[in-house]
Amino acid sequence: MLKLSILDQSPVSIGFTHSEALQQTIQLAQAADRLGFTRFWVSEHHNSAGLAGSSPEVLLSTLAARTNRIRLGSGGVLLPHYSAYKVAENFRMLEALYPGRIDLGIGRAPGGTPHTAKALRGADADLFEGLERFPAQVHDLLRFLTDSVEAGHVFEGIRATPLVTGVPQVWLLGSTGQSGVYASQSGAAFCFAHFINGAGGQQAVRSYRKSFRPSALNVVPQTTVCIHVLCAETDAEAERLAASSDLRILQVEKGEFEGVLPPEEAAKYPYSEWDLTRVRDNRSRMIVGSASRVREQLLSLAASYEVNEVMIVAGGYQFETRLKTIELLAESFGLA
């Protein structure tokens, strides 16, 4: 049976506050826990009016305290902005408090504008150098998480605390094959962001598996794929509600995203011919429809990637739309 998981970006719908968006993320995580989803990840974005999640580590501690069994993780921590040592300590703390339930997903995207990245790293930071350092940061992070800093290394004798026996599951996240290369070289798991890039993911995952090097984290490759999903009682209702998601994705591309609009307002947006072409093209990153239709397409997607788990980003303007999506999928796949 296909396993289902969730990535929630704490989207802020027009007319709602960031605090309300974060409360909705908590409610969605509790529902996912109750319904039988495998894992629930939260994202990291900065200086965004339309996305409230800026600190996955802090949010994860609240989610873990309010759920019982579901795995919880970051999707993901933007490692180039931070110290690998501090990230290791943050997630060792979570692993100590909630053993066996924590995933550490890491990425190298800026999570905001270059100007915002400067604010995160310091005004004098070289942003390009930060990306170049990413592979070394990944290896340092894994050394700290597995207590394997070798003799003679610059960090010899340093251990990440608290000292715990378990290790968070480490995932590299990406929308290109390069992140798969980093994941295979480090022995980490790999999640392809099909919801960002609807082309080339299958080849990236195949290349990851072929080049995978066993490690203290994984002896065999582990993969999943993440895609936008909106599910409703009927195909027609799902298509109506998806107008909000179509516009949201387009506005993110155009740098105009200030929050999710209701479907009625999204339908009135003054789309140019270019906009309409992008909306049609972006449907390769989405699955929209009734439970039976979405189930069929999720199974097809999983088969094309050769994975036994798919992660969804539930779309829509109303929180109830996102909740209905995961309820219908849980019933359709017999998760609970």
Side-chain angles (χ1 to χ4, degrees), residues 198-262:
Q202 291 88 343
Q203 180 57 47
V205 169
R206 283 194 293 269
S207 296
Y208 158 79
R209 290 196 189 100
K210 183 177 179 180
S211 304
F212 180 81
R213 301 175 186 174
S215 69
L217 299 172
N218 295 290
V219 295
V220 296
Q222 184 173 355
T223 55
T224 188
V225 56
C226 184
I227 188 168
H228 287 290
V229 173
L230 195 151
C231 190
E233 294 289 353
T234 65
D235 290 342
E237 177 65 1
E239 287 291 343
R240 184 186 74 81
L241 295 170
S244 298
S245 299
D246 286 332
L247 181 57
R248 171 193 166 178
I249 294 171
L250 175 68
Q251 289 182 319
V252 168
E253 289 184 335
K254 297 169 69 175
E256 298 176 354
F257 182 58
E258 296 294 323
V260 185
L261 283 166

Side-chain angles (χ1 to χ4, degrees), residues 42-213:
V42 293
S43 62
E44 177 180 340
H45 294 88
H46 300 282
N47 192 31
S48 173
L51 298 170
S54 59
S55 180
E57 304 94 329
V58 175
L59 184 53
L60 287 174
S61 64
T62 294
L63 298 182
R66 301 195 188 185
T67 55
N68 297 311
R69 52 132 217 107
I70 195 169
R71 292 195 67 89
L72 299 160
S74 54
V77 169
L78 306 179
L79 189 58
H81 295 320
Y82 310 117
S83 152
Y85 181 65
K86 183 58 177 174
V87 173
E89 289 201 320
N90 285 341
F91 278 81
R92 273 202 160 181
M93 179 64 76
L94 288 167
E95 180 67 25
L97 294 171
Y98 304 100
R101 294 183 59 201
I102 302 301
D103 295 338
L104 168 52
I106 55 178
R108 66 187 188 111
T113 65
H115 193 54
T116 304
K118 285 277 189 181
L120 283 162
R121 300 187 206 176
D124 297 326
D126 184 328
L127 301 185
F128 182 74
E129 180 185 14
L131 293 178
E132 285 190 324
R133 290 177 51 244
F134 181 73
Q137 281 188 292
V138 171
H139 287 294
D140 286 342
L141 175 63
L142 301 184
R143 288 183 179 104
F144 291 130
L145 287 173
T146 58
D147 288 324
S148 57
V149 178
E150 61 268 26
H153 191 277
V154 65
F155 297 133
E156 180 183 0
I158 298 176
R159 302 182 70 186
T161 53
L163 304 179
V164 293
T165 56
V167 179
Q169 283 190 12
V170 179
W171 292 76
L172 262 69
L173 321 177
S175 57
T176 68
Q178 186 58 57
S179 293
V181 171
Y182 296 145
S184 64
Q185 291 175 344
S186 59
F190 178 46
C191 175
F192 188 82
H194 193 103
F195 73 102
I196 295 175
N197 177 14
Q202 291 88 343
Q203 180 57 47
V205 169
R206 283 194 293 269
S207 296
Y208 158 79
R209 290 196 189 100
K210 183 177 179 180
S211 304
F212 180 81
R213 301 175 186 174

